[in-house]
Amino acid sequence: MPKNKYELIYQTIKDEILSGVYSAGDLLPSENEYTARFGCTRNTIRRALAMLTQEGFLLPRHGRGVQVIWQPQRSRSIFSIGGIESMKEAADRNRMPMSTRVITFEERICDKTLSEKTGFDEGSALLYVERVRKINGENVILDINYFLKSEAEGLTAEIAAKSIYQYLENERGLNITTSLRRVTAEKASRRDFRYLDMEDYDFLLVITGQVFHSGGIMFEYTQSRHRPDMVCFIESAVRRSV
Amino acid sequence: MPKNKYELIYQTIKDEILSGVYSAGDLLPSENEYTARFGCTRNTIRRALAMLTQEGFLLPRHGRGVQVIWQPQRSRSIFSIGGIESMKEAADRNRMPMSTRVITFEERICDKTLSEKTGFDEGSALLYVERVRKINGENVILDINYFLKSEAEGLTAEIAAKSIYQYLENERGLNITTSLRRVTAEKASRRDFRYLDMEDYDFLLVITGQVFHSGGIMFEYTQSRHRPDMVCFIESAVRRSV
DNA sequence: GCCGATTTGTCCGTATGTATC
DNA sequence: CGATACATACGGACAAATCGG
């Protein structure tokens, strides 16, 4: 349940777009019409519309109106990398049956090499977790995570099999905020072949990232290794003045 | 040269972060201090800071301040996929010598298969362009573009060798606005092997996208095929309420 | 081509809420 | 508890692009 007005408006309009109230190419009602409908100022409407624009749903045009964009690919998407979303949330969102198997759950101390790779301080106590994601009966994703142990206290292999984010947010009250992500393609390792159903692929789409919580410290380094036919999306890209 | 106040402030603060005026973990001056410095309202400051947050430079925390985030990966980055940027712009930004060779430049009519793949209407006249990007002496990127011919009138192979975006924006007055992008890993095709220096790789990182201009119509379908060691970035990802 | 209405874009000033210290 | 700092929201003004008459 959205608490803020702009979130409510954002969700309402987004639902209307997704349910097909407007078709592609249509102009949305004007901002002034929305202010009347939602009983707020243009600023608040504009904030909600800006979020939808950022996600690639809308194309606002000066003097004309705001157009809904046709998006052939969105329907086929499974995981988006524009937002932070746990695997469980993504699977739920797409109504896909997904199961998780924890293959490693152990403590590690951050050495120099690992520190340079992950950004954790040398000597930090970390939790190392490897999980295999099975979707539609196939093992297609290998997730590798390093958590800062001091921040993820109480995390167990049982919880990791369900949803770590849900535990951290609901039980521990952590607030996941922001992350940086890097996308690469990599040759599959022996470990990838061992745990994933690679079919005839010998490479992977790898998404690496750092996650910060609202306490301000980086508490997770994550790597998600996807079989290439598991497509990932950036919801939108916006051109800045150059 | 930024025309708007918020762009100027955004650039100024961004430059300060990049030049190391603040180090990682530091708190930025408060919004009120910035309003005094730039002579504007908090709204305008907040807009500039929001852009930097979106790009992953900042972590604002309620009641505390705005922290600069440490980013080990950014320094090694070449191309970002959070924004729309021409290859030439990215190369310039990173001060890397890049050259472009046009290997195909021809007209095609959109058939049913192509229409489903690209989203162009069946029967549309398209311009098909293939270009190889050489960076540091190596052919590492194969760019494949379909332009809507009616919108890219006057485009020539000579222009394609320099910068298509520059031509479209400056000469034709088109305004590139928004796009949707998809990231996959793909097996290299014979064409990839033929034109790229693949070393011992046999797969590519592929970024596919649709580009709209301010006229509201999709006028470009683009595919950028990168040798895997050419890393790409998403500048940031933000967690929404779930 | 001009004018006025509409619509989005930018910016201002202010008030209040809420988390942190 | 008060001071500070970010978060949300209000209301208004003017600019700039578009469109119909």
Side-chain angles (χ1 to χ4, degrees), chain A residues 10-235:
Chain A
Y10 158 82
Q11 260 307 330
T12 306
I13 301 179
K14 182 171 179 175
D15 289 344
E16 288 178 356
I17 293 171
L18 291 175
S19 67
V21 174
Y22 318 102
S23 37
D26 280 4
L27 289 181
L28 240 49
S30 76
E31 294 172 356
N32 282 325
E33 291 180 72
Y34 275 132
T35 61
R37 171 174 167 196
F38 290 106
C40 64
T41 56
R42 260 186 75 210
N43 276 333
T44 308
I45 297 294
R46 284 181 64 76
R47 178 158 186 184
L49 294 180
M51 289 167 67
L52 291 165
T53 303
Q54 186 64 34
E55 289 185 33
F57 287 101
L58 304 178
L59 179 63
R61 287 190 281 155
H62 199 156
R64 278 206 200 172
V66 181
Q67 208 170 27
V68 179
I69 298 179
W70 174 72
Q71 302 170 29
Q73 307 171 334
R74 188 179 296 277
S75 55
R76 296 208 314 266
S77 90
I78 300 176
F79 303 111
S80 103
I81 43 182
I84 304 176
E85 198 175 44
S86 74
M87 211 51 71
K88 180 168 172 17
E89 288 157 9
D92 288 351
R93 185 166 55 80
N94 293 283
R95 292 173 187 74
M96 298 190 79
M98 193 204 68
S99 65
T100 299
R101 188 161 63 96
V102 179
I103 56 178
T104 310
F105 189 95
E106 63 188 31
E107 196 174 326
R108 291 194 182 178
I109 301 299
C110 186
D111 62 16
K112 191 160 182 294
T113 316
L114 192 56
S115 170
E116 280 167 6
K117 186 173 109 180
T118 63
F120 286 116
D121 289 333
E122 217 175 316
S124 311
L126 305 177
L127 276 178
Y128 179 71
V129 182
E130 281 181 317
R131 290 176 290 177
V132 175
R133 314 290 193 167
K134 182 185 278 192
I135 296 175
N136 292 333
E138 286 186 293
N139 297 309
V140 288
I141 299 172
L142 179 63
D143 268 1
I144 297 174
N145 301 81
Y146 292 90
F147 293 94
L148 197 57
K149 186 162 180 292
S150 56
E151 301 295 315
E153 208 67 65
L155 195 59
T156 65
E158 288 69 40
I159 294 168
K162 292 175 196 160
S163 176
I164 292 184
Y165 270 30
Q166 197 174 320
Y167 169 75
L168 292 175
E169 290 193 319
N170 296 347
E171 307 297 320
R172 300 269 335 235
L174 286 186
N175 205 337
I176 283 91
T177 320
T178 262
S179 96
L180 269 176
R181 306 221 182 162
R182 184 176 53 169
V183 182
T184 54
E186 289 184 21
K187 202 156 193 54
S189 68
R190 265 198 305 269
R191 238 179 146 61
D192 296 320
F193 280 115
R194 177 166 164 200
Y195 290 111
L196 297 182
D197 302 326
M198 289 296 291
E199 295 187 347
D200 56 347
Y201 296 106
D202 64 344
F203 54 93
L204 295 159
L205 181 68
V206 180
I207 300 168
T208 308
Q210 299 165 282
V211 182
F212 298 77
H213 64 60
S214 59
I217 54 173
M218 182 190 134
F219 83 106
E220 183 190 0
Y221 175 87
T222 169
Q223 195 173 84
S224 216
R225 305 173 70 82
H226 296 224
R227 198 174 73 186
D229 56 338
M230 291 287 105
V231 184
C232 283
F233 280 84
I234 303 169
E235 302 205 314

Side-chain angles (χ1 to χ4, degrees), chain A residues 1-2 7 10 43 46-47 51 53-56 58-61 64 67 69-74 76 81-86 89 115-120 165 169 176-188 200-205 207-210 212-218 221 228-242, chain B residues 1-2 7 10 43 46-47 51 53-56 58-61 64 67 69-74 76 81-86 89 115-120 165 169 176-188 200-205 207-210 212-218 221 228-242:
Chain A
M1 186 68 76
E7 281 178 9
Y10 158 82
N43 276 333
R46 284 181 64 76
R47 178 158 186 184
M51 289 167 67
T53 303
Q54 186 64 34
E55 289 185 33
L58 304 178
L59 179 63
R61 287 190 281 155
R64 278 206 200 172
Q67 208 170 27
I69 298 179
W70 174 72
Q71 302 170 29
Q73 307 171 334
R74 188 179 296 277
R76 296 208 314 266
I81 43 182
I84 304 176
E85 198 175 44
S86 74
E89 288 157 9
S115 170
E116 280 167 6
K117 186 173 109 180
T118 63
F120 286 116
Y165 270 30
E169 290 193 319
I176 283 91
T177 320
T178 262
S179 96
L180 269 176
R181 306 221 182 162
R182 184 176 53 169
V183 182
T184 54
E186 289 184 21
K187 202 156 193 54
D200 56 347
Y201 296 106
D202 64 344
F203 54 93
L204 295 159
L205 181 68
I207 300 168
T208 308
Q210 299 165 282
F212 298 77
H213 64 60
S214 59
I217 54 173
M218 182 190 134
Y221 175 87
D229 56 338
M230 291 287 105
V231 184
C232 283
F233 280 84
I234 303 169
E235 302 205 314
S236 84
V238 180
R239 181 147 176 92
R240 294 264 164 70
S241 62
V242 283
Chain B
M1 182 71 74
E7 281 178 9
Y10 157 82
N43 274 334
R46 283 181 63 74
R47 180 158 185 184
M51 289 167 68
T53 303
Q54 186 64 34
E55 289 185 32
L58 304 177
L59 179 63
R61 286 190 281 156
R64 278 203 201 176
Q67 209 169 26
I69 297 179
W70 175 72
Q71 302 171 30
Q73 308 170 332
R74 187 180 296 277
R76 295 207 315 267
I81 42 182
I84 303 176
E85 198 174 41
S86 74
E89 288 157 8
S115 170
E116 279 167 5
K117 188 174 109 178
T118 63
F120 286 115
Y165 270 30
E169 291 192 318
I176 283 91
T177 321
T178 261
S179 96
L180 271 176
R181 306 222 181 160
R182 185 175 52 168
V183 182
T184 55
E186 289 184 19
K187 202 158 195 55
D200 57 345
Y201 295 106
D202 64 344
F203 54 94
L204 295 159
L205 181 67
I207 300 168
T208 309
Q210 299 165 282
F212 298 77
H213 64 60
S214 58
I217 54 174
M218 182 191 136
Y221 174 87
D229 56 338
M230 290 288 104
V231 183
C232 283
F233 278 83
I234 301 168
E235 301 205 314
S236 83
V238 180
R239 181 148 177 93
R240 296 265 161 69
S241 60
V242 281

Side-chain angles (χ1 to χ4, degrees), chain B residues 211-225:
Chain B
V211 182
F212 298 77
H213 64 60
S214 58
I217 54 174
M218 182 191 136
F219 84 106
E220 182 190 1
Y221 174 87
T222 169
Q223 195 174 84
S224 216
R225 305 172 70 82

Side-chain angles (χ1 to χ4, degrees), chain B residues 1-227:
Chain B
M1 182 71 74
K3 211 179 61 209
N4 299 321
K5 204 171 261 194
Y6 73 90
E7 281 178 9
L8 177 76
I9 296 170
Y10 157 82
Q11 260 308 330
T12 306
I13 300 180
K14 183 172 180 175
D15 288 344
E16 288 178 357
I17 293 172
L18 291 176
S19 68
V21 174
Y22 318 102
S23 37
D26 280 4
L27 289 182
L28 241 46
S30 75
E31 294 173 356
N32 282 324
E33 291 178 75
Y34 275 132
T35 61
R37 171 175 166 196
F38 290 106
C40 64
T41 56
R42 263 190 71 214
N43 274 334
T44 309
I45 297 295
R46 283 181 63 74
R47 180 158 185 184
L49 294 180
M51 289 167 68
L52 290 165
T53 303
Q54 186 64 34
E55 289 185 32
F57 287 101
L58 304 177
L59 179 63
R61 286 190 281 156
H62 199 153
R64 278 203 201 176
V66 180
Q67 209 169 26
V68 179
I69 297 179
W70 175 72
Q71 302 171 30
Q73 308 170 332
R74 187 180 296 277
S75 55
R76 295 207 315 267
S77 89
I78 301 175
F79 303 110
S80 98
I81 42 182
I84 303 176
E85 198 174 41
S86 74
M87 211 51 73
K88 180 167 171 19
E89 288 157 8
D92 288 351
R93 185 166 56 80
N94 292 282
R95 292 172 188 76
M96 298 191 79
M98 192 204 68
S99 64
T100 299
R101 188 162 60 96
V102 178
I103 54 177
T104 311
F105 190 93
E106 62 186 34
E107 196 174 327
R108 290 194 182 177
I109 302 299
C110 186
D111 62 15
K112 190 157 183 297
T113 315
L114 193 56
S115 170
E116 279 167 5
K117 188 174 109 178
T118 63
F120 286 115
D121 289 333
E122 218 176 317
S124 311
L126 305 177
L127 275 179
Y128 179 72
V129 182
E130 281 181 318
R131 289 176 292 176
V132 175
R133 314 290 193 167
K134 182 185 277 193
I135 297 175
N136 291 332
E138 286 186 292
N139 297 309
V140 288
I141 299 172
L142 178 63
D143 267 1
I144 297 175
N145 299 82
Y146 291 90
F147 293 94
L148 198 56
K149 186 160 180 292
S150 56
E151 301 295 315
E153 208 67 64
L155 195 60
T156 65
E158 287 69 39
I159 294 169
K162 293 175 196 161
S163 177
I164 292 185
Y165 270 30
Q166 197 174 319
Y167 169 75
L168 292 175
E169 291 192 318
N170 297 347
E171 307 298 320
R172 301 265 341 232
L174 285 185
N175 204 336
I176 283 91
T177 321
T178 261
S179 96
L180 271 176
R181 306 222 181 160
R182 185 175 52 168
V183 182
T184 55
E186 289 184 19
K187 202 158 195 55
S189 68
R190 265 197 303 268
R191 237 176 146 63
D192 295 320
F193 280 114
R194 178 165 164 201
Y195 291 110
L196 297 180
D197 301 326
M198 289 296 292
E199 295 188 344
D200 57 345
Y201 295 106
D202 64 344
F203 54 94
L204 295 159
L205 181 67
V206 179
I207 300 168
T208 309
Q210 299 165 282
V211 182
F212 298 77
H213 64 60
S214 58
I217 54 174
M218 182 191 136
F219 84 106
E220 182 190 1
Y221 174 87
T222 169
Q223 195 174 84
S224 216
R225 305 172 70 82
H226 296 225
R227 198 174 72 186

